[in-house]
Amino acid sequence: MSNIGSYDERIKNFDWSLAEKELDYKDGDTFNIGWYCSDRICEQGKANKLALIWEGLGGVEKRYTFNDVRVRSNTIGHFLKGLGIKNEDRVCLFMDKIPELYIGFLGVLKIGAVAQPLFSAFGDESLHVRLDNAQTTAIITQRKHVGKVRKILDQMPYLKHIIIVDHDGKKELKEREMVFSMDEAAPVEKFEIFPTKAESPSVLHYTSGTTGQPKGVKHVHYSLISQYLTTKWVLDLQDNDIYWCTADPGWVTGTSYGIIGPWSLGITQCVLDTGFGAEPWYKFIEKNKISMWYSAPTAIRSLMKAGDEVVTQHDLSSLRHLASVGEPLNAEAVIWSEKVFGLPFYDTYWQTETGSMMISNYPGMKVKPGSMGKTFPGITGVILDPDTFEEINEPNKPGLIGFKPDWPAMMRMYWRNEETYQKKFKNGWYMSGDRSTIDMDGYYWFVGRDDDVINTGGHLVSPFEVESALLEHEAVAESAVVAKPDDVNMEVVKAFVTLNKGYEASDELELKIMNFIRKKLSPLAMPQEIEYLDTLPKTRSGKIMRRLLHAKEWGEEIGDTSTLEDDAPRMI
Ligand code: WT7
């Protein structure tokens, strides 16, 4: 029996107070996600239940019970408090998928501070803009990433503490650096959790837009209400499940459903910190008897590519439910998974801003391969006309997805960017920025994004950020960045550049520029191809027209070019 029972019954008279009741929360009570994900689970008699099964390179394994998670998050909280870190201060978690990241996240929340997880593959520039916007007080990191922090330290007077969790004490510590070992520090059994309220800030995730710097999406502790219920009803996690969310907590899936959702339900989860590979992934499922698996279309397409034979070499009979998020899940991937695993991947749709799933497929509901499913109970979704922002009530007619902004996990603001935040609302609707249709049965079918942001393997990359970074390379005069089609990642980053005098187009220079971006921003943002042009297509007012370059990459009609500079169309 699934947790949701009947979707149709659940949407009738739905009220979020249902989740409040299950979490024993009453209006005005203190509300702390750190407590809900560890102390409360222990109080429910699950102190000795495994919370985390972690595997790193070379098959190294670590295991933590809910009591271990409770005590260690206390210990981290106590240490941070001792440094003078206060509630609402931002504490960045800049680590690989190691246990300290997962447990440290709860430790930060327990002192009422704001957890700011950042993807550990970020380069110094990506790191700097995000720490600068958040005016981050402390960063928890690993030895191998500290070099990137040192590089930008002079520009970050607000950053007071650099905490290294795996320092062997051999190398000298530099300015503001200190060592903390989660497993070796004196355990703090009892800790006074900061009395955060439902609306106290909890998590700050950065997401990329078309223009400007990345936006800091502020969430509050009350988001747990949505995350708890969607985990229960969509991922269908039940007490004896072994769960694996493949997302990195540097991104929202890895916190909402890789920490908060499963642990607030007292579920055992597994983490594999070794990157992607069909063989190691199947082995991991087999070894840990994983029953529920939440992943992403790019991973599924990569598994498809690896073939069916490697599937049959493993016993994957423990799997009972699969779900996916982050980018369009093509029908072929769903059909393939039914063939090889005997189970379809259930698509889910949501965003960093929404904090929890908005549109999903539910256990027991008919899956239409290629569709994102239906809105979660309590979520009001509409398709809006792109010009008038009025509702389109015609089935199968594309428009913009809008949501009534009234669910618990909705972002509360973009950090220090009120103007951009206000622009996300039209006629009282939160504008997702995505286009879709809704069919006769209420199923959503994704059409595309309504901006130039590149979704590569489920990760959003801002063309603006890459273009700006390209301009910092000595050879580059002008740049334009667009998505290019790709079999596995759906989209990859492609850059068009013009060169400064004295530089010549060559393959060697292309590699140099690629590497420059990889180091400065991240491997995700690195262009997979750089094309040299003599000039870039611009409007008469001098704005580079990405649209034309994009159309060329996708073999689409170019459309209206009447605002172009006279000679521009010839270049493409
Ligand atoms: C954007 C949000 C929240 C999970 C991780 C991504 C795209 C997300 C789907 C889906 C088609 C999807 C949208 C959305 N997206 N899920 N099931 N089908 N597209 O969070 O980085 O904020 O990205 O990812 O374009 O707006 P994010």
Side-chain angles (χ1 to χ4, degrees), residues 529-571:
E529 186 187 340
I530 296 174
E531 191 172 326
Y532 303 106
L533 295 177
D534 293 335
T535 44
L536 296 180
K538 294 198 200 84
T539 60
R540 290 201 179 94
S541 60
K543 208 171 147 227
I544 294 170
M545 290 191 83
R546 283 195 202 113
R547 187 165 58 87
L548 289 184
L549 300 165
H550 187 273
K552 177 189 167 235
E553 289 306 311
W554 294 77
E556 289 163 358
E557 286 288 309
I558 288 175
D560 182 18
T561 55
S562 58
T563 57
L564 267 183
E565 271 180 357
D566 295 342
D567 59 343
R570 269 185 284 125
M571 292 172 332

Side-chain angles (χ1 to χ4, degrees), residues 207 251-253 324-329 347-353 372 432 434 446 449 455 458 460:
T207 185
W251 313 100
V252 72
T253 308
S324 160
V325 69
E327 28 163 356
L329 179 65
D347 197 11
T348 68
Y349 164 93
W350 55 292
Q351 305 177 304
T352 307
E353 285 87 342
M372 304 193 290
S432 67
D434 288 313
F446 188 79
R449 289 187 62 91
N455 187 338
L460 302 188

Side-chain angles (χ1 to χ4, degrees), residues 250-495:
W251 313 100
V252 72
T253 308
T255 55
S256 290
Y257 298 102
I259 302 179
I260 304 173
W263 280 353
S264 68
L265 280 148
I267 302 295
T268 304
Q269 67 160 331
C270 300
V271 170
L272 180 62
D273 186 25
T274 61
F276 178 81
E279 169 73 26
W281 274 35
Y282 294 140
K283 236 190 190 156
F284 190 63
I285 294 171
E286 182 173 22
K287 180 173 154 197
N288 293 298
K289 299 198 168 44
I290 288 163
S291 53
M292 203 291 149
W293 182 20
Y294 193 28
S295 197
T298 290
I300 302 164
R301 285 190 293 268
S302 305
L303 293 172
M304 272 174 89
K305 247 190 156 172
D308 300 3
E309 207 184 309
V310 56
V311 182
T312 55
Q313 288 160 357
H314 294 87
D315 176 6
L316 306 179
S317 58
S318 55
L319 290 172
R320 70 166 188 89
H321 188 44
L322 320 175
S324 160
V325 69
E327 28 163 356
L329 179 65
N330 35 325
E332 304 83 72
V334 179
I335 294 163
W336 175 78
S337 96
E338 269 197 295
K339 185 180 84 183
V340 299
F341 305 125
L343 302 163
F345 270 93
Y346 284 66
D347 197 11
T348 68
Y349 164 93
W350 55 292
Q351 305 177 304
T352 307
E353 285 87 342
T354 70
S356 63
M357 297 166 185
M358 304 303 283
I359 299 168
S360 306
N361 291 282
Y362 307 87
M365 189 179 97
K366 181 181 166 210
V367 174
K368 298 191 187 184
S371 156
M372 304 193 290
K374 299 189 191 192
T375 44
F376 190 78
I379 301 290
T380 313
V382 286
I383 300 296
L384 301 168
D385 182 290
D387 299 316
T388 61
F389 305 111
E390 297 293 331
E391 257 179 81
I392 301 175
N393 280 314
E394 208 179 304
N396 309 321
K397 191 157 180 224
L400 301 173
I401 309 177
F403 295 109
K404 194 170 165 206
D406 63 353
W407 67 97
M410 171 60 173
M411 69 165 160
R412 296 302 192 265
M413 69 168 182
Y414 285 135
W415 200 261
R416 299 205 299 160
N417 196 347
E418 177 70 20
E419 198 187 328
T420 310
Y421 176 75
Q422 289 304 339
K423 281 194 196 138
K424 292 294 285 184
F425 300 90
K426 299 272 190 258
N427 284 346
W429 298 104
Y430 162 70
M431 304 299 296
S432 67
D434 288 313
R435 287 177 284 126
S436 175
T437 61
I438 307 181
D439 71 13
M440 291 289 282
D441 303 323
Y443 284 71
Y444 285 68
W445 298 78
F446 188 79
V447 174
R449 289 187 62 91
D450 195 43
D451 58 19
D452 294 339
V453 170
I454 301 161
N455 187 338
T456 179
H459 295 113
L460 302 188
V461 172
S462 152
F464 169 80
E465 261 192 284
V466 184
E467 287 164 1
S468 311
L470 282 166
L471 295 182
E472 288 180 42
H473 191 280
E474 55 194 11
V476 177
E478 291 176 306
S479 63
V481 165
V482 298
K484 170 186 146 155
D486 183 81
D487 274 0
V488 172
N489 291 287
M490 290 294 267
E491 299 184 349
V492 290
V493 176
K494 166 149 187 195

Side-chain angles (χ1 to χ4, degrees), residues 16 29 80 96 233 236 390 407 422 511 523 535 549 558:
W16 291 107
D29 286 356
L80 296 173
D96 296 353
W233 288 0
D236 197 41
E390 297 293 331
W407 67 97
Q422 289 304 339
L511 286 182
T535 44
L549 300 165
I558 288 175

